[in-house]
Amino acid sequence: MLLPILAFPDPRLNIVAKPVVEVDQRIQKLIADMLETMYDAKGIGLAATQVNVHERLVVIDVSDTRDQPLVLINPEITWYSPEKHVGEEGCLSVPEIYDKVERSVAVKVSYLDAKGKPQQLEADDMLAVCIQHELDHLLGKVFVEYLSKLKFNRIKTKMLKIQREEEKDAQYEKMSRPKL
Ligand code: NI
């Protein structure tokens, strides 16, 4: 089932997620729905926060073939490489906005997999950036918060304007629909 993705600056994107208590059927369903939503939106990562579920769960797939899903439950970054890199980032919650963010080149992360089994992973390059970006979402942080105040406000204004126009279009459509 496709889930609606919250759009910045929706304040629900700033809610801090709580740990998943049990990897049960509800979580399995959420994982399946989040993967479907991420693939449909052509994203490489999606945090539960973005679909308005405030629990520590993210799905990622940085493969070109789009068939290497990675599920991180209760993920914690246990090590950041001192070496950093500035790269261009985007986000499904901030459509069409891309900007430079500095991140560690590599990270180590401990987490539970989709079966609830404890795992560890050392990631670098795109996967390391993606993990840092998605885990920020679980802390209620969107990548645009790393940008200058000026850029941040500009993006916020632009997004609000788009959202207002979308709302207007939706209202107009409702009004012009023939009532039979
Ligand atoms: Ni994002």
Side-chain angles (χ1 to χ4, degrees):
M1 188 178 83
L2 286 180
L3 304 169
I5 299 174
L6 299 179
F8 174 82
D10 192 313
R12 291 171 291 180
L13 285 169
N14 302 121
I15 298 173
V16 177
K18 295 195 168 67
V20 170
V21 176
E22 199 189 339
V23 185
D24 54 11
Q25 278 206 327
R26 180 183 65 91
I27 294 295
Q28 298 300 341
K29 170 82 170 104
L30 178 61
I31 291 168
D33 289 345
M34 282 176 59
L35 283 168
E36 189 185 340
T37 304
M38 176 185 76
Y39 286 125
D40 179 74
K42 298 184 168 56
I44 59 167
L46 183 68
T49 306
Q50 293 176 277
V51 294
N52 200 27
V53 176
H54 303 283
E55 294 174 64
R56 295 188 62 82
L57 165 61
V58 308
V59 296
I60 291 174
D61 189 341
V62 294
S63 72
D64 291 330
T65 44
R66 313 291 287 148
D67 58 358
Q68 307 286 316
L70 177 65
V71 176
L72 306 179
I73 300 170
N74 295 342
E76 297 295 341
I77 295 175
T78 56
W79 175 80
Y80 291 88
S81 70
E83 192 194 338
K84 300 203 175 200
H85 172 78
V86 175
E88 192 120 293
E89 285 183 32
C91 179
L92 292 177
S93 292
V94 201
E96 284 165 57
I97 302 289
Y98 298 88
D99 216 317
K100 292 181 180 73
V101 179
E102 187 183 70
R103 303 276 191 189
S104 284
V105 168
V107 291
K108 282 182 193 164
V109 58
S110 61
Y111 61 99
L112 302 178
D113 65 20
K115 290 178 182 144
K117 199 173 151 218
Q119 303 282 359
Q120 281 192 11
L121 171 74
E122 187 167 348
D124 58 11
D125 297 330
M126 176 107 92
L127 181 56
V129 170
C130 190
I131 288 171
Q132 290 169 83
H133 175 115
E134 300 311 330
L135 266 61
D136 272 353
H137 276 302
L138 300 180
L139 296 173
K141 189 162 184 172
V142 182
F143 85 98
V144 291
E145 290 175 43
Y146 289 108
L147 308 177
S148 69
K149 196 80 201 157
L150 181 74
K151 271 191 183 171
F152 177 89
N153 286 330
R154 221 181 262 164
I155 292 167
K156 190 172 167 180
T157 305
K158 188 178 168 189
M159 291 289 299
L160 285 170
K161 189 169 168 243
I162 292 169
Q163 287 162 21
R164 268 199 307 271
E165 274 162 14
E166 279 171 356
E167 233 166 77
K168 244 193 273 167
D169 286 350
Q171 267 173 5
Y172 179 75
E173 230 167 81
K174 230 190 263 168
M175 272 166 47
S176 56
R177 195 174 293 149
K179 293 169 189 73
L180 298 174

